[in-house]
Amino acid sequence: MTALLIIIAAIVLLFAGYVGYGSWLAKQWGIDATKKTPAFTKADGVDYVAAKPAVLMGHHFSSIAGAGPINGPIQAAVFGWVPVFLWCVVGGIFFGGLQDFGSLFASARHEGKSVGEIIRDSMGKTSKKLFIIFALLVLILVIASFVNVVAGTFFTADGSFGIVKNPTGSQTTAMISLLFIVLAIIYGILTNRCGIKTLPATILGIVGIVLAVAIGLNYGFAMSRTAWIVFIGAYITIASLVPVWILLQPRDYLSSFLLYAMMALALAGIFVSAVTGNATFELPAFTSWHTSIGNLFPALFITVACGACSGFHSLIATGTTSKQLDNEKNAKAIGYGSMLIESALGIISLIAVGMVSKTFIVDGRFKGAPPVAFATGIAKMFGFADQNNAIYALLTLAVSVFALTSLDTGTRLSRFMFTEFFLKDGEESYKDATGVRKVLAFPLFGTLLMVAIGCILGGLSLAQIWGLFGSANQLLAGIALMAVAAWLGEVGKNNKMFIVPTVFMLAATLSQLVLTVIGKISAMANATAETRAAAFHWGNWFQLFFAAAMAVLAVFLVIEGVKTFKKQSQK
């Protein structure tokens, strides 16, 4: 019954936030349904392509969700369910939703350009360059984290290769994910080149999803972990370069139905469990101010990540979604609404691990893989005690599918921002650049470089990457909040609602990065003969320098932001 009350409370509060606070924000900023969006004013058939609201909602939601709202809340559950619940709800309404909605709106008013361009207009060219460097560092971690998640989900250690009968859960997930790619291409061609309307194409797409799942449950696909990393790298490279209507839009749209189904299945499981007693919510309300992942502040707010607020969302909103927005009036549902749905998914993930917390949380530490805990918890609600069941397979599939959609989008964003960094004012594309800048701004160059670095780092353990990704991602959120606030102030609109979220996110994330740097230096300085190898592992060096670089960049950006706000206050 505890789980049922938790989800009902979350849904009521999040819905109230959408209707009340979301509508107030739209009124304050002056959302204009009559104003043409960049999808029409800059239509190019490649990146600027107007999408139906339902299709764009699917793309945006699938891209921002990824594995974040499952991994984050589950790992943060070591603090107990109350802190995670409160941060997902309060953070989603007043922090994450504000950032996502504001970023999408600001980009729509900037020809669909990135947060970097928004910063340039309000904070100057230097700040734009610093932000792009920072964002590219975050995107490297995004690619590395989700390559790690996807390859780990697809991989089995039995040495098999190719199509296999009687597949394991990982092999089933891999096969269905591959079929999803083919299905998305077919859907894109049918709707964009054959003139088939969205509704009949959607019905055909859902039928295709069912067939793909049926095939995957009987025939899997197996490769080694290294082979999967190479395959994923090649796939996301291609996916980031082809027109959005071929793969990005249709894949994310169709994938969103799987995510909706996953959430519906999880909700059904919570209700079934409340009635039948198949599973008991075991997680304490609160455990301790200090756990294996650190002090509640700042660790909780970093670890939950996408379940409450995520800087990666601002890159998606301004990198791909704003280029496909057909009408400003849809920005609230797509930007603000998607974030609140993701917060609901974070609460569902919290409930799922709460059903199996005695297995996965031992002595204050989370043990195992978050997607496994999620799928096991939901399956247990339906009365399944092991992992050999269709519900478990489908839930695991959903997690991997959405990690892959985040990879698609993240790599495309890397291409945009890498190119943008080397262009001068007035240069629209790499073709306008000269000399070495023309080579560096060439889309394929930046894409290959970012994918290569991301895939190499994807070989690290997820624990090494995720902690750093959480800090970088949340720090990016603080900077994005600051950037949108500066722009709103520049154009004379109310930006006071950004003050508390911006200051809080910057304080939490900079604190975490400083603690990371201090921790790594201390471990190296105090290493003994027995611990020296572990302390000086290259992964620790990577985390040390990465954390230090991001903290320094962020401080410079904050200083520029403060200067901007000071000038605005004097006008």
Side-chain angles (χ1 to χ4, degrees), residues 475-554:
L475 184 53
L476 177 60
I479 294 171
L481 285 163
M482 182 179 69
V484 176
W487 172 74
L488 286 169
E490 199 71 20
V491 297
K493 295 182 182 295
N494 184 7
N495 65 356
K496 291 182 175 60
M497 69 286 289
F498 283 85
I499 295 174
V500 172
T502 301
V503 172
F504 183 85
M505 294 306 299
L506 290 173
T509 50
L510 283 172
S511 297
Q512 186 68 21
L513 286 173
V514 169
L515 289 172
T516 298
V517 171
I518 292 173
K520 296 302 177 185
I521 292 176
S522 177
M524 293 176 182
N526 298 316
T528 63
E530 292 78 15
T531 62
R532 184 176 179 80
F536 286 88
H537 184 270
W538 77 272
N540 288 331
W541 282 109
F542 161 72
Q543 291 184 67
L544 172 61
F545 286 117
F546 220 93
M550 287 187 295
V552 170
L553 284 169

Side-chain angles (χ1 to χ4, degrees), residues 129 418-443:
K129 293 291 187 182
F418 199 93
T419 296
E420 188 178 304
F421 182 80
F422 293 102
L423 295 180
K424 293 182 177 180
D425 289 343
E427 294 178 342
E428 291 293 324
S429 72
Y430 75 94
K431 296 178 182 178
D432 302 318
T434 57
V436 68
R437 288 192 303 107
K438 189 165 189 172
V439 176
L440 295 173
F442 186 64

Side-chain angles (χ1 to χ4, degrees), residues 9-178:
I11 291 172
V12 170
L13 291 171
L14 291 170
F15 181 74
Y18 177 79
V19 174
Y21 193 59
S23 299
W24 180 77
L25 291 175
K27 185 177 180 180
Q28 289 292 305
W29 299 339
I31 297 293
D32 187 355
T34 65
K35 192 175 183 66
K36 282 193 174 182
T37 63
F40 295 103
T41 59
K42 298 196 69 177
D44 62 4
V46 179
D47 297 313
Y48 290 84
V49 180
K52 299 285 186 182
V55 175
L56 186 55
M57 183 78 168
H59 155 68
H60 186 76
F61 185 38
S62 297
S63 297
I64 67 171
I70 292 174
N71 278 1
I74 286 178
Q75 293 187 74
V78 293
F79 288 107
W81 71 263
V82 170
V84 179
F85 173 87
L86 291 175
W87 179 232
C88 281
V89 173
V90 175
I93 294 171
F94 297 106
F95 290 68
L98 176 68
Q99 178 213 230
D100 294 14
F101 188 12
S103 298
L104 179 55
F105 172 63
S107 181
R109 292 291 178 92
H110 274 78
E111 299 182 326
K113 292 182 179 178
S114 71
V115 179
E117 288 296 322
I118 298 170
I119 286 178
R120 187 196 67 173
D121 286 356
S122 56
M123 295 168 56
K125 296 178 183 178
T126 301
S127 296
K128 170 192 169 182
K129 293 291 187 182
L130 290 172
F131 174 80
I132 291 177
I133 294 172
F134 184 88
L136 287 173
L137 291 176
V138 174
L139 286 169
I140 286 173
L141 292 176
V142 169
I143 294 172
S145 297
F146 292 136
V147 163
N148 189 299
V149 169
V150 175
T153 304
F154 289 176
F155 164 65
T156 50
D158 60 9
S160 55
F161 179 85
I163 297 175
V164 295
K165 292 183 178 181
N166 301 317
T168 64
S170 296
Q171 293 164 349
T172 287
T173 301
M175 173 61 85
I176 301 174
S177 296
L178 293 176

Side-chain angles (χ1 to χ4, degrees), residues 265 375 378-380 382 384 388-397:
L265 185 65
I378 301 298
K380 186 178 179 181
F382 286 97
F384 295 104
N388 296 316
N389 59 81
I391 289 176
Y392 178 87
L394 291 173
L395 291 168
T396 307
L397 165 68

Side-chain angles (χ1 to χ4, degrees), residues 258-324:
L258 189 59
L259 183 51
Y260 300 144
M262 178 187 76
M263 293 183 68
L265 185 65
L267 288 171
I270 294 171
F271 279 93
V272 168
S273 179
V275 174
T276 63
N278 288 330
T280 302
F281 190 78
E282 306 166 342
L283 189 64
F286 180 74
T287 57
S288 173
W289 292 101
H290 181 79
T291 69
S292 59
I293 60 175
N295 294 322
L296 190 140
F297 180 90
L300 170 73
F301 308 98
I302 304 305
T303 307
V304 170
C306 308
C309 185
S310 167
F312 181 53
H313 295 187
S314 69
L315 300 185
I316 294 170
T318 63
T320 57
T321 305
S322 63
K323 295 176 174 63
Q324 302 171 62

